[in-house]
Amino acid sequence: MSTAATSTVPRLVTPQFALLGSAGLAYFLADGLLIPAVPRYVAGELTGGNIAVGLVVAAFSLSALVLRPWAGRLADRHGRSLAMVGGGIIFATSVAAYGLVDSAGALAALRLLTGVGDAFFFVGAVTAMSDLAPVERRGEAISLFSLSLYVGLAVGPPIGELLVNVAGFTTVWLVAAGSALVAVLLATRVGDTREVTDEPAAGPSRLIPPAAVVPALLLLALVWGMAGFLAFVPLYALDLGLSGAGFLLFGFAAIVVVIRSAGARIPDRLGAVRSVRLSLLCTTIALVTIGGWRSVPGLVLGTALLGIGVALGTPAIMTLALNRAPAAERGAVMGTVSMSIDLAAGLGPATFGLVAAGADRGTGFLAAAVIAAAGLTLATRGRTRSPA
């Protein structure tokens, strides 16, 4: 009885899936190493000001944003492994060259190239993960795979700072490039994950597949508020009399990690549509609580609710997109949907800052809540219905 019940649940964590997760971890570790090192290098070694720091850091996201749909098309036509391997090599080569430049402008050009590598590796990896996941366990697969990103971005920055202080910037660039090359080697072992399908060709491939549009808007609404929160909660905590926001940021990350690991199957059990709506509801209430109940308890409660919303939302929205996508356009769909992360990472803090400058930071959170509420409205109008 027990054996029969177990056999009905398709296996998720296969050796191929584990290799893919390990490749993701090595890549995101390389990415994390650069987070503290790049701005310090611009401000210190290259004697750049705040504008130069901002432009160099943002150059990475700019090229990644623009190229994600193209990366998806390449992954659909030529395989996920090619996208990961090519992207990882571009990333590693450009990062290794950081120490050879002597101006912020030249470094910004290399950062654009690093963003190209990121677009292809990330989209290739996420699409390969969706290929390997059984349909009924896609939410769980995305949750587990995202842990490689969170671990890499949690561990990488402190290691990067340590290397800068102990061995210098050149060591950071070489270690990051080496980690990216490890990701490339692991990606070559993953192989081609594309499904063999009898689906007829749907005509010329589309850069922006229709199946990706609504999920992309939902993810934009979700991440918009989170990006503003991460950028301004350290200052807002001081406004409320706290000495810092470290415990809040740790708690937020811990909630996301716990739900994405111990609760990885929640989006599959609730269903993608219900999970998306619950996620955006939690996010909207969280931002209203932080901006409306301007006190430490309000900030703590809002942070916890935001962590729940973000933890559930991304896997559910990507699952929704995959459920709507033909197998032949899966890469293009993932490339388009993931663009929302880059877009929200720029627009969220920028609009928050404009609102805060005209009013105050609490009002900035309320403005972000309006965006999340718009996403919730879209999610409740029936446009999110999918086969699963």
Side-chain angles (χ1 to χ4, degrees), residues 207-274:
L207 184 61
I208 305 295
V213 175
V214 170
L217 291 173
L218 294 172
L219 189 59
L220 181 67
L222 176 72
V223 179
W224 190 299
M226 183 195 75
F229 169 85
L230 294 176
F232 283 92
V233 75
L235 299 175
Y236 190 62
L238 298 178
D239 293 343
L240 298 181
L242 294 172
S243 59
F247 79 99
L248 292 165
L249 293 171
F250 177 83
F252 171 82
I255 290 170
V256 173
V257 169
V258 168
I259 292 178
R260 296 273 179 92
S261 53
R265 299 205 67 183
I266 293 175
D268 294 321
R269 288 173 175 165
L270 284 179
V273 173
R274 288 193 191 94

Side-chain angles (χ1 to χ4, degrees), residues 11-12 14 16-17 20 127-134 190 193:
R11 185 181 180 189
L12 173 60
T14 61
Q16 198 176 17
F17 188 89
L20 180 62
T127 309
M129 174 275 305
S130 71
D131 293 338
L132 296 175
V190 173
T193 61

Side-chain angles (χ1 to χ4, degrees), residues 186-207:
L186 292 170
T188 60
R189 301 289 302 277
V190 173
D192 192 2
T193 61
R194 286 177 296 175
E195 296 178 14
V196 176
T197 177
D198 295 327
E199 291 180 7
S205 56
R206 294 163 288 193
L207 184 61

Side-chain angles (χ1 to χ4, degrees), residues 38-54 56 102-105 107:
V38 168
R40 287 182 59 177
Y41 187 68
V42 175
E45 300 295 310
L46 301 182
T47 63
N50 291 328
I51 293 177
V53 170
V56 170
D102 58 2
S103 70
L107 183 59

Side-chain angles (χ1 to χ4, degrees), residues 31-41 156-162 164 169:
D31 214 355
L33 288 167
L34 301 179
I35 290 175
V38 168
R40 287 182 59 177
Y41 187 68
I159 294 177
E161 286 190 334
L162 178 64
V164 167
F169 290 103

Side-chain angles (χ1 to χ4, degrees), residues 6-377:
T6 302
S7 65
T8 63
V9 180
R11 185 181 180 189
L12 173 60
V13 184
T14 61
Q16 198 176 17
F17 188 89
L19 271 174
L20 180 62
S22 299
L25 179 59
Y27 173 79
F28 293 122
L29 175 61
D31 214 355
L33 288 167
L34 301 179
I35 290 175
V38 168
R40 287 182 59 177
Y41 187 68
V42 175
E45 300 295 310
L46 301 182
T47 63
N50 291 328
I51 293 177
V53 170
L55 289 175
V56 170
V57 171
F60 170 90
S61 296
L62 177 62
S63 55
L65 168 68
V66 171
L67 287 173
R68 289 198 195 279
W70 299 97
R73 288 183 64 183
L74 180 140
D76 285 333
R77 290 179 176 178
H78 303 291
R80 326 316 190 192
S81 182
L82 178 63
M84 288 189 287
V85 170
I89 290 174
I90 293 171
F91 183 101
T93 303
S94 62
V95 170
Y98 282 6
L100 303 178
V101 301
D102 58 2
S103 70
L107 183 59
L110 284 176
R111 290 282 292 170
L112 286 171
L113 196 56
T114 306
V116 173
D118 180 79
F120 283 91
F121 186 94
F122 182 88
V123 172
V126 172
T127 309
M129 174 275 305
S130 71
D131 293 338
L132 296 175
V135 173
E136 59 267 51
R137 300 186 71 175
R138 278 176 174 164
E140 181 183 5
I142 296 168
S143 294
L144 294 177
F145 182 78
S146 72
L147 292 176
S148 65
L149 184 151
Y150 275 87
V151 172
L153 297 184
V155 173
I159 294 177
E161 286 190 334
L162 178 64
L163 289 175
V164 167
N165 295 333
V166 172
F169 290 103
T170 299
T171 301
V172 178
W173 313 144
L174 294 179
V175 171
S179 187
L181 289 177
V182 170
V184 168
L185 291 175
L186 292 170
T188 60
R189 301 289 302 277
V190 173
D192 192 2
T193 61
R194 286 177 296 175
E195 296 178 14
V196 176
T197 177
D198 295 327
E199 291 180 7
S205 56
R206 294 163 288 193
L207 184 61
I208 305 295
V213 175
V214 170
L217 291 173
L218 294 172
L219 189 59
L220 181 67
L222 176 72
V223 179
W224 190 299
M226 183 195 75
F229 169 85
L230 294 176
F232 283 92
V233 75
L235 299 175
Y236 190 62
L238 298 178
D239 293 343
L240 298 181
L242 294 172
S243 59
F247 79 99
L248 292 165
L249 293 171
F250 177 83
F252 171 82
I255 290 170
V256 173
V257 169
V258 168
I259 292 178
R260 296 273 179 92
S261 53
R265 299 205 67 183
I266 293 175
D268 294 321
R269 288 173 175 165
L270 284 179
V273 173
R274 288 193 191 94
S275 297
V276 169
R277 292 171 181 170
L278 178 60
S279 163
L280 287 165
L281 178 62
C282 286
T283 300
T284 302
I285 295 173
L287 294 167
V288 169
T289 300
I290 295 172
W293 185 10
R294 303 186 181 191
S295 65
V296 173
L299 179 56
V300 171
L301 176 60
T303 298
L305 287 171
L306 185 63
I308 294 170
V310 170
L312 292 175
T314 303
I317 291 168
M318 288 192 169
T319 299
L320 183 68
L322 290 167
N323 290 346
R324 295 158 58 97
E329 289 189 336
R330 198 171 286 161
V333 167
M334 286 292 93
T336 300
V337 173
S338 64
M339 283 176 63
S340 295
I341 300 173
D342 298 303
L343 195 58
L347 292 177
T351 55
F352 192 112
L354 290 172
V355 173
D360 53 38
R361 294 187 182 112
T363 306
F365 286 106
L366 295 176
V370 173
I371 303 298
L376 178 60
T377 301

